[in-house]
């Protein structure tokens, strides 16, 4: 095989389909979020970032930065090993205690990312519990799909957010069969939210464990911000709550929170936990400061929801086809990969607005979109500028201005 030719051919296919990925080269400016510098063709321009998953701007929060500075001066840059071999720093211990209490659970376990938390936990449970059967929402994130696949247990996929279909699939097994139901709370591409309580009802009826990915809810939902399970008052009914420290928490890393015995089990048997070096203490310290701050500041969550609602209203008034999401995520439908990329390019080059195009396989073909994530730091002036710019781009590319009808569901969110 001519390897190099093969790679080049596959890439050129991507390009001709209009879904070759180009990364915006950004330089974030601490203290100026959501403004950043964008490096391009040897030049630099200032842009307003409208697609960050640093949903609350915590990555540049003064208390979070101060904690990272303090920790690097005190402990240095790296952790020094895996958790078992010299890599457990006291800050990791404190952060796990904080995350357990944050989630109303007995214990928590840190991972180097939310992806690894999902992949490791699900594959470990699937492969080590005899005869375990997994039930997975059809729109689950790739990290859960991979975890379930690697566990090599039996598995079933239930229709998105459909407790009745889940009930039907679970009914095929006797109560004694070990089972786990995996789903997300906020789905990040359509911005819809799972009926967590109804899914727990069904799982409990069949004596199944539940695994809830709160990645797009952590920091943003519930009185203290631990997620939708807290908001809905069902945290004690969810067996495992999983989250990330990289989105609204603003740093990097992932975790699960659960009973002491389950956490000890994954700590003892999970390869992605055991064999990977721990996060630098400065990262853990920054995340700890962020979680502590978010727990005490519900007003930032109110402001965030108000910003999202305001933007959805402003876009609808202009006839921009925004999906009626019930969360902080504002998906604007384009429905074509090439046009989606062009719209994004025009916004960047003419209007100083950065919104990454979202194309297949992240979303189904025909539902390509701009996924806008307003934060508490996007002010009214930025919003009017965004809406006016989108309106101009829509006219220029002759895109539909009216409500988009039936939109295919998301396939593989990031
Ligand atoms: C981003 C994401 C993850 C992975 O979390 P990271 O900390 O970024 O690795 C897991 N689940 C969902 C739903 C995500 O969107």
């Amino acid at each position: 095989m001519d390897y190099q030719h093969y790679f080049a051919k596959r890439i050129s296919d991507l390009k001709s389909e209009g879904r070759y990925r180009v990364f915006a080269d950004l330089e974030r400016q601490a203290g100026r979020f959501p403004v950043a510098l964008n490096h391009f063709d040897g030049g630099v321009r200032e842009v307003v970032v409208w697609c960050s998953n640093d949903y609350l701007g915590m990555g540049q929060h003064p208390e979070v930065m101060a904690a990272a500075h303090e920790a690097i001066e005190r402990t240095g840059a790296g952790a020094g090993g895996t958790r078992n071999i010299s890599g457990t720093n006291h800050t990791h211990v404190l952060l796990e205690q904080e995350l357990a209490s944050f989630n109303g659970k007995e214990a928590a376990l840190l991972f180097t990312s939310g992806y690894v938390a999902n992949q490791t936990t699900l594959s470990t449970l699937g492969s080590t519990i005899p005869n375990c059967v997994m039930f997975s929402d059809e729109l689950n994130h790739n990290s859960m799909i991979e975890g379930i696949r690697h566990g090599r247990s039996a598995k079933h996929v239930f229709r998105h957010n459909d407790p009745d279909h889940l009930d039907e699939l679970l009914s095929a097994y006797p109560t004694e069969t070990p089972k786990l139901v995996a789903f997300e709370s906020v789905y990040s591409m359509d911005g819809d939210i799972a009926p967590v309580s109804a899914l727990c009802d069904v799982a409990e009826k069949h004596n199944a464990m539940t695994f809830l990915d709160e990645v797009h809810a952590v920091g943003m939902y519930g009185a203290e911000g631990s997620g939708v399970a807290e908001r809905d008052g069902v945290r004690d009914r969810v067996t495992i709550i999983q989250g990330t420290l990289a989105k609204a928490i603003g740093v990097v890393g992932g975790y699960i929170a659960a009973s002491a015995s389950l956490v000890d089990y994954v700590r003892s048997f999970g390869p992605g936990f055991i064999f990977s070096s721990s996060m630098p203490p400065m990262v853990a310290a920054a995340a700890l400061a962020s979680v502590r701050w978010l727990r005490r500041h519900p007003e930032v969550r109110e402001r965030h929801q108000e910003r999202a609602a305001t933007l959805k209203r402003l876009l609808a008034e202009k006839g921009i086809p925004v999906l009626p999401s019930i969360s902080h995520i504002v998906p604007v439908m384009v429905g074509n990969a090439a046009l989606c990329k062009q719209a994004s390019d025009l916004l960047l080059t003419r209007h100083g607005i950065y919104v990454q195009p979202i194309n297949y396989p992240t979303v189904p073909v025909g539902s390509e979109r701009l996924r806008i994530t307003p934060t508490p730091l996007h002010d009214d002036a930025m919003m009017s500028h965004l809406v006016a710019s989108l309106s101009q781009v829509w006219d220029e590319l002759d895109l539909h201005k009216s409500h988009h009808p039936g939109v295919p569901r998301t396939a593989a969110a990031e």
Side-chain angles (χ1 to χ4, degrees), residues 59-73:
Q60 300 181 9
H61 192 283
E63 286 187 25
V64 175
M65 290 173 55
H69 280 298
E70 189 282 326
I72 196 170
E73 293 303 332

Side-chain angles (χ1 to χ4, degrees), residues 132-361:
C132 188
V133 184
M134 297 281 182
F135 297 82
S136 177
D137 185 287
E138 67 178 329
L139 294 191
N140 272 347
H141 188 259
N142 175 270
S143 52
M144 281 192 274
I145 296 170
E146 287 296 316
I148 291 169
R149 186 178 288 153
H150 283 244
R152 303 173 74 165
S153 64
K155 68 155 195 284
H156 298 277
V157 174
F158 61 94
R159 284 194 293 273
H160 180 54
N161 283 349
D162 188 341
D164 293 335
H165 190 220
L166 174 64
D167 189 27
E168 202 180 304
L169 294 172
L170 283 163
S171 300
Y173 291 88
T175 317
E176 317 79 77
T177 301
K179 308 172 200 79
L180 184 146
V181 180
F183 54 104
E184 302 179 22
S185 54
V186 175
Y187 286 83
S188 71
M189 290 298 146
D190 292 351
D192 57 336
I193 300 182
V196 181
S197 171
L199 290 165
C200 287
D201 289 343
V202 174
E204 282 165 9
K205 177 177 156 198
H206 297 277
N207 193 30
M209 293 189 286
T210 42
F211 181 101
L212 178 61
D213 175 321
E214 292 261 31
V215 162
H216 292 279
V218 177
M220 297 170 282
Y221 294 84
E224 291 195 355
S226 72
V228 171
E230 179 189 359
R231 183 196 73 175
D232 293 356
V234 294
R235 287 193 298 189
D236 54 333
R237 301 178 63 198
V238 176
T239 316
I240 303 162
I241 296 175
Q242 180 273 353
T244 183
L245 303 171
K247 291 172 184 169
I249 307 294
V251 193
V252 77
Y255 62 86
I256 57 166
S259 69
S261 59
L262 190 144
V263 164
D264 203 19
Y265 185 83
V266 177
R267 184 185 76 87
S268 305
F269 294 107
F273 174 81
I274 295 172
F275 296 105
S276 189
S277 297
S278 55
M279 63 174 60
M282 62 176 168
V283 169
L288 181 58
S290 182
V291 171
R292 284 180 175 162
W293 190 91
L294 285 167
R295 293 182 78 171
R296 296 194 315 268
H297 290 88
E299 74 284 357
V300 77
R301 289 181 275 283
E302 274 164 42
R303 160 95 177 156
H304 186 214
Q305 292 298 324
E306 174 276 318
R307 292 283 80 190
T310 301
L311 181 60
K312 284 180 225 173
R313 179 173 52 77
L314 294 174
L315 290 170
E317 280 168 13
K318 284 274 183 192
I320 306 287
V322 53
L323 267 194
S325 106
I326 52 168
S327 68
H328 58 282
I329 292 160
V330 182
V332 171
M333 301 308 297
V334 179
N336 172 288
L339 286 170
C340 196
K341 169 91 170 67
Q342 277 178 46
S344 167
D345 287 346
L346 282 174
L347 286 169
L348 188 63
T349 56
R350 300 248 182 97
H351 303 278
I353 286 170
Y354 171 48
V355 193
Q356 185 70 16
I358 309 280
N359 288 342
Y360 178 83

